[in-house]
Structures are given as structure tokens and as C-alpha cells.
Amino acid sequence: MNVLIRAILLSLLLAGTARAEDGYDLWLRYRPVEHAWLKRYLPAATEIVAEERSPGILAARGELERGLSGMLWHAVPVRREISEDGAVVIGTPAKSRLIAALHLPLSRAGNEGFLLRSTVLKGRNVTIITGNTDVGVLYGAFAFLRLIQTRQPIEHLNIVSAPKIELRILDHWDNLDGSVDRGYAGRSIWHWSDLPEKLDPRTIDYARANASIGINGAALNNVNADPAILTGPYLEKVAALADLFRPYGIRVYLSARFSAPIDIGGLKTADPLDPQVIAWWKAKADEIYRLIPDFGGFLVKANSEGQPGPQDYHRTHADGANMLADVLKPHGGIVMWRAFVYSSAVPED
């Protein structure tokens, strides 16, 4: 075979490989691992045992089923009882009698941490993936799959891990028309016109990818906010996304336009110290939390680059931020006040 033919065949082979790997799966590829690794570690992952059926545990179970079946060359069964050595047992001690019986030290795991432990349960060698909450179990499942993907030993595990930062939020600059401010990667994946009836399957993959690295929040819309995002029809769309994200431990946040009481509320002012304005924001917060009980809160860009804000009414940024914080506090929500604040009319700010 001459050099030209070999070069053509090689280029075709490489082209086929490039098309097969488009990057969509990110680090959740779950490609089959080498037989040498399997021979040594396969007994540590032969079945998935899950007693609970809450949405979060089902998400963890589904990810383990997908990941282990992909990497271990065969379908890994899911059961409610341990039947053989190598079972991966998942759940929380509050709802799993198998895990509760072990009395594991989970105080260091906190609300979102996890514990991975190799132990013996009912006479079988098992791997335990547990946490104080469903999302902790989910994070533990991803951690276990990551160990296999990076070819780490998994037969003698004793790992406790917990996030050191409470709020781990992505800030989207997506607009309601589907465009993205600085959208170098294309259009928004929030198909507002289809919601709430139709959910894009990519939003599930988005939630999986974020949960796999511990992201627990997403501000869905551009900081140069369209006030329509706070109207009833759009809040129902946001609620549909929140329902989808919830099993993955992701809370939704919204960028709020400071002048919304005027834009969509019919008021003549958005002065943060005006009683009518305060009452409007309180009613809006109550409306949101009726639809989304775990709503995260507001992100606000005020008096920056032409956006409205408290300074329009000779109030301080603290006046504006604290007013919104007061209406969110009863629900456990927060305000993220954009610190990049300047006015082109003020030489020094």
C-alpha cells in the first residue's frame, strides 16, 4: 500500500473519530474501561441497591446505572436487596434501613456532602454511597463514577467530602427571545415558547452535568433583565424548569429588573422606600414561592450601564438591596446585588 493510500485511510479514520466525539457528553462519557482494570476492580460494582424512590435518589440511581453499565461492558442490575458481593448500596440513613443499620459518621458531610465506604453488609462486600440528603447521595454517585473514570482503586473506600462554599451558582445571560448576550456558543437552551408544556431533553443533561461538579443554582436570565420574566406566564415556565432541576439539587434564581413595579406592576415609582413598591415586591415574592417553593432569589444589576436602580430615587444601593432582601427573607431567598456598578455620567464611582 503506497503512502498516499495510507494517508487517505488514516484521514478517513480520524475524521470518523472526530464525528463520533462531539463533546456533548462532557466528562460524563462513561466509555468502557480496560479489561485489565476490570479484572482487578469489577467485583466492587456488580449491582445497584436502592430502597428509596424519591426523585433525588432516582436521579442518583439512574446515573449509576448509566455510568456503570457503560464503563463495565454490561448492564448493571438495580435491586432493592443485596444479592451478591460487589453491590453498590445508595440512600440516606433516614430512609434506607440497610444504611441506617451501619450507623455511619455523617456529621462531617453536612447537608450536601457524601460518604463513600467499602464495608460488609449482610455478609456481602459492598460499596456504600450515602449522605444526609438526597443531593449528597447524588454527589457521592458522581464521585464514585469519577473514581472509575480516572481508574482509581475502589475496593477500600473511606471518603467523606462536603462542599466548602454554600452557593455554587451559574449566571446565565440568556434573553427571552432565545438569544444569549455574549452568546459565543449559540442560542439559549431555554425554549421559553415551548415551556411549560414541553421540556427540551438537553435541560436534563444540563442538570446532570452541573450536579456532577456540585453546581447547586442557576440564574436563568440576563442581568439586563426583561421584566416579563416576573409575569405569571413566565413564572410558570420557570417553575417547570425548577421541577426538572430539583432532583439534581439545583435551585433557580432570576435576574430582576429594578423598575419592574413600573414596567409590569402599574406603579408610578420603583422607589425602594415607597410602601406601595415594597408591597408589590412582597406580593411578587409570595407568588413566586407558591409556584417554586425552593426558589433561590434575585440577581440584580442596578444603576449600571443604563439599568434602573435605587439611585434613580436618590436612594443607596443598600436601600435597594435590603428592600428586596426583606421580602425574600421569610422564604429563605437571597439577593445577589451586582457589584460592577458605574454610571457614565459620574466621573468617579
Side-chain angles (χ1 to χ4, degrees):
M1 185 182 296
N2 63 40
V3 174
L4 178 59
I5 294 175
R6 287 201 298 270
I8 292 173
L9 291 175
L10 179 60
S11 67
L12 290 173
L13 177 61
L14 291 175
T17 302
R19 284 194 298 271
E21 176 55 86
D22 62 4
Y24 182 87
D25 290 333
L26 301 174
W27 45 89
L28 305 178
R29 287 176 172 84
Y30 303 143
R31 304 291 191 264
V33 300
E34 301 80 11
H35 284 286
W37 192 94
L38 285 176
K39 184 176 180 181
R40 181 173 181 182
Y41 296 117
L42 178 60
T46 55
E47 64 182 7
I48 302 163
V49 177
E51 298 171 277
E52 304 172 53
R53 295 188 62 82
S54 64
I57 297 300
L58 289 176
R61 191 189 83 176
E63 200 66 36
L64 285 168
E65 188 175 8
R66 179 198 298 251
L68 294 177
S69 296
M71 291 188 289
L72 303 184
W73 296 78
H74 66 89
V76 176
V78 177
R79 298 191 171 96
R80 295 179 65 86
E81 295 286 346
I82 302 170
S83 66
E84 56 185 291
D85 280 335
V88 178
V89 183
I90 69 170
T92 61
K95 296 180 181 177
S96 168
R97 57 183 178 79
L98 290 172
I99 291 175
L102 295 172
H103 303 290
L104 296 168
L106 282 169
S107 58
R108 285 169 47 207
N111 288 330
E112 294 182 290
F114 61 85
L115 180 147
L116 304 181
R117 177 171 290 189
S118 304
T119 188
V120 176
L121 191 57
K122 292 197 168 184
R124 302 289 190 179
N125 294 313
V126 300
T127 299
I128 300 295
I129 302 177
T130 188
N132 292 309
T133 62
D134 288 3
V135 71
V137 177
L138 178 64
Y139 290 163
F142 279 116
F144 182 66
L145 293 170
R146 188 160 53 246
L147 291 173
I148 299 176
Q149 284 187 304
T150 54
R151 311 302 190 262
Q152 302 299 309
I154 59 172
E155 77 274 39
H156 300 302
L157 295 177
N158 188 17
I159 300 171
V160 179
S161 179
K164 291 182 172 60
I165 298 173
E166 182 178 355
L167 301 175
R168 307 177 300 278
I169 303 170
L170 288 185
D171 178 15
H172 285 265
W173 283 15
D174 297 34
N175 299 310
L176 300 189
D177 64 1
S179 64
V180 180
D181 197 346
R182 310 278 179 92
Y184 308 118
R187 304 274 297 173
S188 171
I189 65 170
W190 319 132
H191 292 170
W192 297 110
S193 60
D194 294 337
L195 293 167
E197 291 81 10
K198 182 180 178 182
L199 290 166
D200 188 331
R202 291 184 302 168
T203 54
I204 290 278
D205 294 333
Y206 167 90
R208 292 175 52 234
N210 283 330
S212 74
I213 58 171
I215 298 294
N216 66 359
L220 301 181
N221 59 314
N222 192 355
V223 289
N224 299 317
D226 186 330
I229 194 70
L230 297 180
T231 61
Y234 272 98
L235 290 177
E236 291 180 2
K237 298 171 188 288
V238 173
L241 291 174
D243 290 343
L244 183 150
F245 294 156
R246 192 169 294 111
Y248 295 90
I250 299 171
R251 300 171 73 181
V252 299
Y253 298 74
L254 292 177
S255 294
R257 187 171 174 86
F258 195 80
S259 60
I262 300 172
D263 302 326
I264 61 173
L267 300 185
K268 295 181 179 180
T269 179
D271 183 346
L273 301 188
D274 185 289
Q276 286 186 303
V277 172
I278 296 170
W280 187 90
W281 280 109
K282 181 181 183 304
K284 182 57 62 177
D286 292 344
E287 177 188 359
I288 293 172
Y289 280 95
R290 281 194 296 270
L291 290 168
I292 311 167
D294 58 349
F295 179 67
F298 294 134
L299 168 62
V300 182
K301 175 183 176 182
N303 290 123
S304 178
E305 299 180 321
Q307 293 295 306
Q311 291 180 336
D312 298 347
Y313 306 95
H314 307 290
R315 309 300 187 189
T316 67
H317 285 290
D319 290 331
N322 287 335
M323 180 272 293
L324 290 175
D326 285 342
V327 303
L328 292 172
K329 185 177 180 179
H331 305 284
I334 66 168
V335 173
M336 296 176 284
W337 197 263
R338 185 175 160 98
F340 174 56
V341 173
Y342 67 88
S343 169
S344 58
V346 180
E348 295 180 4
D349 187 349

